[in-house]
Amino acid sequence: MEYIEHDKAGISGLMRISFLLSSAAFLTMLNAAQAQAAPAKPAAADAAAASEAGTVEDTGEVIVTARRRPENAQKIPGSLSVVGGDLLDRSYTVNTQQLTQLVPALNYSSANPRNTAFTIRGLGSSVVAVSQANDGLESGVGFYVDQVYHGRPATAAFDFSDVQQIEVLRGPQGTLFGKNSTAGAINITTRAPSFTREATEEFSYGNYNFVQAKASATGALIGDTVAFRLSGVVTRRDGVITNVRTGDKPNDIGNQAVRGQLLFTPNADFSLRVTADFTNFESQCCTQVYLRVAPTLKSAARQYAALAANVPGGPYTPPSLNPYDRLTDIDAAVGANTNEGGVSAIADWTLGGATLTSVSAWRFWNWDAANDRDYTGLPIQITQHIPSRQDQFSQELRLASNGDGPFSYVGGLYFFRQRIIGRPISVYGPLAAYWLIGPTTGTPAVAVPSNLLDGFSSDGRTDFQSNSYAAFGEVNWRPLAGLTLTGGLRYTYEDKRGSYSLFTFGGLSTTNAALNAAKQGILRDQSYSGAVRGGALTGRANISYQFSDEVLGYVSYARGAKSGGINMSGLPPTALDKIVIKPEENTAYEAGIKTQLFDKRLTFNIDGFYTKVTDFQANVTDTGAAAALRTYLANIPEVRVLGFEADANAQITSTFSLRASVAYADGKYVSYPTGSCPIERIANGTTVCNLSGMGLSGLPKWAITVGTDYAQPVGNGAALLFHADMVARTSMYGDPTDSAYTVIPAYTLVNASLGLRLRDGLEVAVFARNLFDRDYIQNVTIQSGNSGLILGTPSDPRTFGITLRARQ
């Protein structure tokens, strides 16, 4: 395991470099801010380029709706990051994965759109590989678009369209948001209709045949009563992996989205915003490539080297042992076809000292994909896909106080209904028995025919339904000047039901009990149902003090909960007691200071946190199964995460800004005595391993971002624009078993753009993502059969191109 020691050295070097970069950036901000003797306030458009840029007033304040009312982000006693639409455009950030390069506390993994997971401070979803999505698992990170909760994390894989700003809220959010969110929330606000006629167009072209077109238009339809907004985006790019067998280019991009909005304002006290949207993703996606081989405790004949060398018909060699050659030879089709959309209506009615808000929404999500599940040129598992359909309906009623008196409040009622129907399908090929079972099986040993699993298949149906009812509220009281006491409660009652049915057929027909048992060890006939009903009371308390107009300090306590889950991916014989898993409880403590200095040119925020989770809900792997990646839901007795985060933003001049953020998180399994075993500890008959004290997967200890924007006037109202951002992350475990062979090494990534903005609203820019062409691994998978083969998704290589923008 020498490569692990080498990685530690790399981490140390990365930490030194990243610390120096962030320290230098912060000192530069501080010195430059102090050097401004009589600074002029920056223009709103320039202030919006800062890393916490959202809706920015002329005062330089960042206005957010994190507490369901417009507020200055610096006055909110809690940790959040805000990324404005201008920064999203300048940084070419078009999806949640790229958003993590601007928000260090946010981590994202997506082996394909259905198997998408995002975490905040290491908590949320635990999906890290193909086939680990489970419809019965509720994400701990709420994903909202225009106040509407999206029930499946998969919808976060689509490209952003016409976004005004994104708020990433850290910690439990149940007293303010419709759906309970134990780890945090991603709150996306799109640009609203305007009665002033405006239009934007954007076209980009780059290498790998990258093409992206965006457009939006808004204006009045009926006087000052009805306005519209229409926007859309289309993205195309060739794949970055080459299939040497077929010449295809898998892992390409094919995205398109359209959104239409109407705004009705019959009088000054009432408004109604109606939105309809549709997004589609079609791609030859997704596959992974050879990464490395881990030794196991199985006999030498059942490990990868011997299996590959003795393949019937001749030895097997991957097209490359270097994952960054980006070569594959998969012999089965891959492809993803997914779409989502819906309709929402948001009504705001001002009632004197309060505003009543109604948010009604219906949404759907469709998914179908094909995968070569063994990731090799061998016909082992030749088909796997789970066509799925989700429908959801939500209704929220919320009353929020207006004004800035000694009391302010938000209270509401929430209903959410979700139904997901799936059809799990798998087909095995002529080498499945050789690779997954071996020459003999059973006691006494029985010879395994080579065609035992040829054509062995499964079909089935899953049906998951959930109804959630909640009442929530939060009150702020200012008993003394500068002192605010906040208390909030939420009661949630949930009714979940799920049924799972799978039947097998095909393969060699036999009456031999040992051979039939071997077949069922690969795919098992199974049928069960489960239900969860119950309620939970959660809440939070917060004390904040405004030491001056520029400095706010706070301490907070929060309690979050997720109701029990239902396993919707099948269960191994050893886990039949886990049809239903226990509720998850989250206890979080946080303290922080927010500052804005030097006439609001310098913003510096820092917070520290401690979070303990009991009965943490996670996907675990049946390490005793031949197919290996049969995952199911289980509870981890106790998990904890502690750390700190700091953000600094400086508007050096009206045209030059710097920003830096750092997130440190130490997460571990405090108690996990019956965990899944890492691949290097798996032998025939392996059941469980004690992972207590090991680190949380998918969580780097350090994540650092540094960025800058600069606009240099060149005469006649034109300006030269420069943008750059860097993200550095230390190594992390890529698999929940904490296998040393699934460690994802540290990496540093730089993006940049250089453009010319003309006076008439035209802009041309050249851009590069992954400017220095750094290689890194995005996610890893352990191959079915526990042979020791580890697969990985390599990073996108350097991409560059040119963009034309126009605004009217």
Side-chain angles (χ1 to χ4, degrees), residues 283-319:
S283 170
Q284 192 179 168
C285 172
C286 299
T287 193
Q288 295 176 301
V289 299
Y290 177 100
L291 180 59
R292 64 175 66 97
V293 172
T296 75
L297 299 180
K298 289 186 170 186
S299 66
R302 299 307 301 158
Q303 296 194 46
Y304 176 81
L307 288 170
N310 296 302
V311 170
Y316 171 74
T317 302

Side-chain angles (χ1 to χ4, degrees), residues 708-777:
T708 184
D709 282 280
Y710 179 66
Q712 173 62 51
V714 292
N716 295 323
L720 192 65
L721 307 176
F722 173 74
H723 167 87
D725 58 77
M726 180 211 78
V727 60
R729 280 186 161 84
T730 56
S731 66
M732 59 185 172
Y733 290 111
D735 181 83
T737 66
D738 283 1
S739 167
Y741 293 89
T742 64
V743 169
I744 296 177
Y747 67 88
T748 300
L749 187 64
V750 176
N751 307 311
S753 64
L754 181 65
L756 178 64
R757 183 177 58 207
L758 303 177
R759 185 175 184 177
D760 57 4
L762 293 176
E763 183 179 320
V764 59
V766 291
F767 67 89
R769 295 194 63 85
N770 192 3
L771 176 64
F772 299 111
D773 202 20
R774 299 303 188 197
D775 290 329
Y776 60 96
I777 295 297

Side-chain angles (χ1 to χ4, degrees), residues 78 98 111 198 275 279 390 394 496 517 601 656 683 691 804:
Q98 295 172 353
E198 299 173 353
T275 301
T279 302
Q390 181 214 229
S394 59
K496 297 179 180 179
R601 286 187 174 278
F656 179 38
L691 298 182
L804 299 175

Side-chain angles (χ1 to χ4, degrees), residues 283-364:
S283 170
Q284 192 179 168
C285 172
C286 299
T287 193
Q288 295 176 301
V289 299
Y290 177 100
L291 180 59
R292 64 175 66 97
V293 172
T296 75
L297 299 180
K298 289 186 170 186
S299 66
R302 299 307 301 158
Q303 296 194 46
Y304 176 81
L307 288 170
N310 296 302
V311 170
Y316 171 74
T317 302
S320 175
L321 302 183
N322 180 357
Y324 304 115
D325 287 339
R326 299 176 174 84
L327 299 178
T328 184
D329 62 347
I330 54 174
D331 59 336
V334 296
N337 187 347
T338 180
N339 56 71
E340 65 123 2
V343 179
S344 66
I346 302 175
D348 288 299
W349 186 14
T350 301
L351 305 170
T355 297
L356 178 65
T357 299
S358 170
V359 183
S360 308
W362 166 78
R363 300 201 63 78
F364 69 89

Side-chain angles (χ1 to χ4, degrees), residues 69 401 403 405-410 474-478:
R69 63 168 71 87
S401 61
F407 284 94
S408 60
Y409 60 85
V410 174
E474 187 169 285
V475 176
N476 301 299
W477 177 40
R478 300 180 182 88

